[in-house]
Amino acid sequence: MPELPEVETIARGVDARVRGHRIAEVWLGRHREPFKTPPARMAQGLEGRTLLGVHRTGKHIVCELGSAGCSPSDERAGQATAQWIVHLGMTGRLLVTTPEASVAPHTHARLTLASGRELRFVDPRRFGRLEFRDLSRAQGFAAPGAEPLTIGAQDFAALFRGRRLAIKAALLNQSLLAGVGNIYADESLFHAGIRPRRMAGRLTRAELERLRRALRQVLEQAIGLGGSSVSDYVDADGVRGFFQLEHRVYQRTGQPCRVCGTAIRRIVVGGRSTHYCPMCQR
DNA sequence: CATTTCACCTGGTGGC
DNA sequence: TGCCACCAGGTGAAAT
């Protein structure tokens, strides 16, 4: 499900609930797909560490971890020595529950916290990924692409210069921009008035700047809406709490454009279903 | 190297 | 109700 705004909302919600808590016990499931780090090493690495904070980079959730046996009130407080990195894929959820709460099907990780809470990773489709990084051995996680919320006009334009692929496909490329997915790619192209199949390298400077601003505005609006329902999103049952953004084009095939009334079209770009208004977008 | 296609999974929906 | 085709907000490997 999740693109940048959803991941941001989840990371904030989880951070508010587990910051400062110590991982007492770790259970990991048998399916191999979710584990970029071998489960035995992950469990060994996580146990005893303190969750110093949880934040988002691109579509990744990064849990900063202190050394085992080092509480946040110690002098080394705030010093992350490891990370637990969660990617939700299409159907992943990161839940804060009690250890007694019923375990949902497709639960792949349970981190029981000394505080009496439990952090769970649930993912039916198993496109999500979990990774453990020991920062004494490896670099901290960094998304390859630029952050769409903060990138400037010059850097944004430079991402697409000379590229011959469709702008929609370029927006989805995580090594260019980190965090943009199918919904917000379509929505931002609508707001910028640009057709999804336009060659990225042929967009004018003005179009690129409209796109950068539209993307930022759409993402910020979605974060704003998600932020008001954080508690629902991460509750014990994993209830979805996001206000559905009033999409302009996404999944509105055949319905009238909210601006001009023309029927919204669906095409396939880069293997992904793509929606646009043939009148408003050129 | 850049770009495109496809496999990886389960579950929900809608047609027959 | 059952069966089936198709679709899903992501990504990385393989093919072109």
Side-chain angles (χ1 to χ4, degrees):
Chain A
M1 326 137 28
E3 302 184 27
L4 185 152
E6 291 77 23
V7 177
E8 176 70 32
T9 301
I10 292 161
R12 288 180 189 176
V14 171
D15 180 73
R17 283 165 182 76
V18 305
R19 174 185 282 271
H21 298 199
R22 189 174 61 83
I23 302 166
E25 196 177 333
V26 176
W27 174 93
L28 301 173
R30 299 253 171 106
H31 285 108
R32 62 184 172 82
E33 290 93 343
F35 297 100
K36 288 186 80 170
T37 306
R41 193 155 79 75
M42 180 175 292
Q44 164 76 33
L46 290 172
E47 272 174 22
R49 290 186 186 269
T50 298
L51 285 151
L52 298 176
V54 179
H55 58 97
R56 174 198 66 79
T57 301
K59 291 176 193 170
H60 295 261
I61 298 167
V62 181
C63 304
E64 303 287 348
L65 303 168
S67 297
C70 177
S71 85
S73 51
D74 289 349
E75 64 220 41
R76 284 179 292 171
Q79 280 278 21
T81 53
Q83 292 174 329
W84 192 48
I85 300 142
V86 178
H87 191 291
L88 299 172
M90 295 267 273
T91 54
R93 296 183 333 220
L94 194 59
L95 309 176
V96 179
T97 70
T98 64
E100 295 78 29
S102 64
V103 178
H106 311 293
T107 297
H108 300 106
R110 299 174 66 185
L111 278 54
T112 311
L113 309 177
S115 62
R117 292 193 186 185
E118 190 162 286
L119 190 54
R120 295 181 181 175
F121 175 68
V122 181
D123 183 14
R125 225 169 144 180
R126 305 205 292 275
F127 287 175
R129 294 291 180 264
L130 302 174
E131 180 183 0
F132 176 81
R133 282 199 192 199
D134 182 342
L135 297 181
S136 69
R137 294 186 59 246
Q139 291 239 308
F141 178 81
E147 268 294 328
L149 291 177
T150 52
I151 189 170
Q154 307 293 323
D155 291 342
F156 188 83
L159 292 178
F160 305 105
R161 202 161 294 144
R163 298 199 174 267
R164 305 186 61 78
L165 77 173
I167 184 61
K168 163 74 184 268
L171 286 173
L172 294 178
N173 182 340
Q174 300 296 296
S175 59
L176 294 178
L177 283 171
V180 182
N182 210 30
I183 295 177
Y184 299 105
D186 281 4
E187 292 295 311
S188 61
L189 285 168
F190 173 81
H191 284 273
I194 298 167
R195 289 211 188 183
R197 282 211 175 110
R198 292 276 305 281
M199 194 186 289
R202 291 261 172 91
L203 295 183
T204 67
R205 195 161 204 75
E207 286 173 325
L208 286 168
E209 184 56 7
R210 286 211 308 274
L211 180 57
R212 183 181 74 93
R213 289 169 183 269
L215 184 57
R216 191 177 61 195
Q217 186 245 316
V218 163
L219 293 173
E220 281 176 350
Q221 186 191 3
I223 291 171
L225 293 173
S228 59
S229 57
V230 166
S231 59
D232 290 338
Y233 200 85
V234 291
D235 80 2
D237 303 317
V239 172
R240 289 219 182 74
F242 286 111
F243 284 94
Q244 275 300 83
L245 204 62
E246 179 128 301
H247 301 316
R248 301 296 176 95
V249 288
Y250 181 71
Q251 282 190 342
R252 295 195 66 243
T253 310
Q255 296 178 52
C257 171
R258 297 192 201 282
V259 172
C260 74
T262 305
I264 299 302
R265 286 191 191 159
R266 177 187 182 275
I267 57 177
V268 175
V269 180
R272 311 301 304 282
S273 96
T274 296
H275 314 75
Y276 72 100
C277 171
M279 185 67 76
C280 295
Q281 294 173 257
R282 300 293 175 170

